[in-house]
Amino acid sequence: NAGVTQTPKFQVLKTGQSMTLQCAQDMNHEYMSWYRQDPGMGLRLIHYSVGAGITDQGEVPNGYNVSRSTTEDFPLRLLSAAPSQTSVYFCASSTDSWSYNEQFFGPGTRLTVL
Amino acid sequence: KNQVEQSPQSLIILEGKNCTLQCNYTVSPFSNLRWYKQDTGRGPVSLTIMTFSENTKSNGRYTATLDADTKQSSLHITASQLSDSASYICVVSLAMDSNYQLIWGAGTKLIIKP
């Protein structure tokens, strides 16, 4: 049981490039989410999904796209990278609404945009 | 405005000593409060969750307290170990009919020195 996995662990992009951050979980969790973590700030929700085929925007969705074709996978796409997207990105999953249920986090992807 | 503030920002203590981390929140309506531990380069891991009616909850050497009247929580670590070096994040959940109403604190970085 690997839990939540993320790839890559590190990535450097140039401004304007696009890329996809991968996230997978093997716990059969319905809820999945993407956060970014910046120094001195709390985690901020980018996008989330409450099940396969269902996604919604979080607090800071601009510049990012998501899709959820399977229960296991929830990739995050950066359409045209900007220096402001330099951050550490975390994927998380939970059995149900994270208002009450623990979220399980992946190890993160550290992204630098030059 | 819903906010979670943690203090201190960082703390250095000697191995074996006790410490207390603070979390003050101005979140309404309040549902529950969770403490996470985040090791360097890893995702957050839940330590404990407290609801409105709970005053104290322990998880090994970690004891969390909640005062819903003053809107304060603390995390007390007893007999610290080197492995306790991490960031500790306080998260408050709003009692709203919404999937993503979590307010994250910026965390306290704790360093344990031998």
Side-chain angles (χ1 to χ4, degrees), chain B residues 10 13-14 31 34-35 37 44-46 49 56-57 62 64 79 83 92 95 98 102 104 112:
Chain B
S10 61
I13 64 171
L14 292 175
S31 175
R34 191 185 290 272
W35 283 93
K37 178 187 180 189
V45 174
S46 178
I49 181 172
T56 303
K57 185 171 279 189
Y62 300 100
S83 60
V92 178
S98 170
L102 296 179
W104 292 78
I112 311 297

Side-chain angles (χ1 to χ4, degrees), chain B residues 84-97:
Chain B
D84 293 329
S85 292
S87 288
Y88 293 84
I89 304 173
C90 173
V91 188
V92 178
S93 176
L94 278 76
M96 295 175 63
D97 185 19

Side-chain angles (χ1 to χ4, degrees), chain A residues 19-47:
Chain A
M19 77 159 296
T20 299
L21 309 185
Q22 301 291 345
C23 173
Q25 52 93 7
D26 61 359
M27 298 174 283
N28 202 33
H29 286 172
E30 290 296 325
Y31 280 60
M32 295 187 74
S33 55
W34 276 102
Y35 291 91
R36 59 178 289 172
Q37 186 175 40
D38 299 296
M41 300 180 68
L43 270 71
R44 291 185 290 171
L45 183 67
I46 303 171
H47 284 284

Side-chain angles (χ1 to χ4, degrees), chain B residues 5-6 15 18 23 34-38 48 50 66 69 76 81 84-85 94 97 104 107 111:
Chain B
E5 300 206 349
Q6 294 187 242
E15 185 180 11
N18 303 335
C23 173
R34 191 185 290 272
W35 283 93
Y36 279 91
K37 178 187 180 189
Q38 184 177 19
T48 185
M50 302 186 72
L66 176 64
D69 292 330
H76 185 75
Q81 300 176 359
D84 293 329
S85 292
L94 278 76
D97 185 19
W104 292 78
I111 298 172

Side-chain angles (χ1 to χ4, degrees), chain A residues 7-103:
Chain A
T7 56
K9 192 149 181 68
F10 301 95
Q11 183 69 48
V12 179
L13 292 178
K14 294 181 179 178
T15 297
Q17 288 184 315
S18 62
M19 77 159 296
T20 299
L21 309 185
Q22 301 291 345
C23 173
Q25 52 93 7
D26 61 359
M27 298 174 283
N28 202 33
H29 286 172
E30 290 296 325
Y31 280 60
M32 295 187 74
S33 55
W34 276 102
Y35 291 91
R36 59 178 289 172
Q37 186 175 40
D38 299 296
M41 300 180 68
L43 270 71
R44 291 185 290 171
L45 183 67
I46 303 171
H47 284 284
Y48 66 97
S49 169
V50 299
I54 307 169
T55 63
D56 207 345
Q57 297 181 350
E59 182 185 358
V60 288
N62 292 341
Y64 308 93
N65 272 357
V66 292
S67 60
R68 184 102 179 266
S69 56
T70 67
T71 299
E72 294 78 19
D73 300 299
F74 191 43
L76 177 72
R77 281 183 289 279
L78 278 71
L79 309 173
S80 177
S84 60
Q85 294 179 304
T86 294
S87 187
V88 181
Y89 291 85
F90 288 99
C91 178
S93 73
S94 60
T95 55
D96 204 323
S97 168
W98 49 82
S99 292
Y100 293 96
N101 296 283
E102 177 182 357
Q103 292 186 81

Side-chain angles (χ1 to χ4, degrees), chain B residues 47-92:
Chain B
L47 289 174
T48 185
I49 181 172
M50 302 186 72
T51 59
F52 187 87
S53 59
E54 295 175 302
N55 299 117
T56 303
K57 185 171 279 189
S58 293
N59 178 358
R61 294 179 297 102
Y62 300 100
T63 299
T65 64
L66 176 64
D67 186 334
D69 292 330
T70 62
K71 298 188 176 181
Q72 295 180 325
S73 177
S74 65
L75 181 69
H76 185 75
I77 304 174
T78 304
S80 62
Q81 300 176 359
L82 296 178
S83 60
D84 293 329
S85 292
S87 288
Y88 293 84
I89 304 173
C90 173
V91 188
V92 178

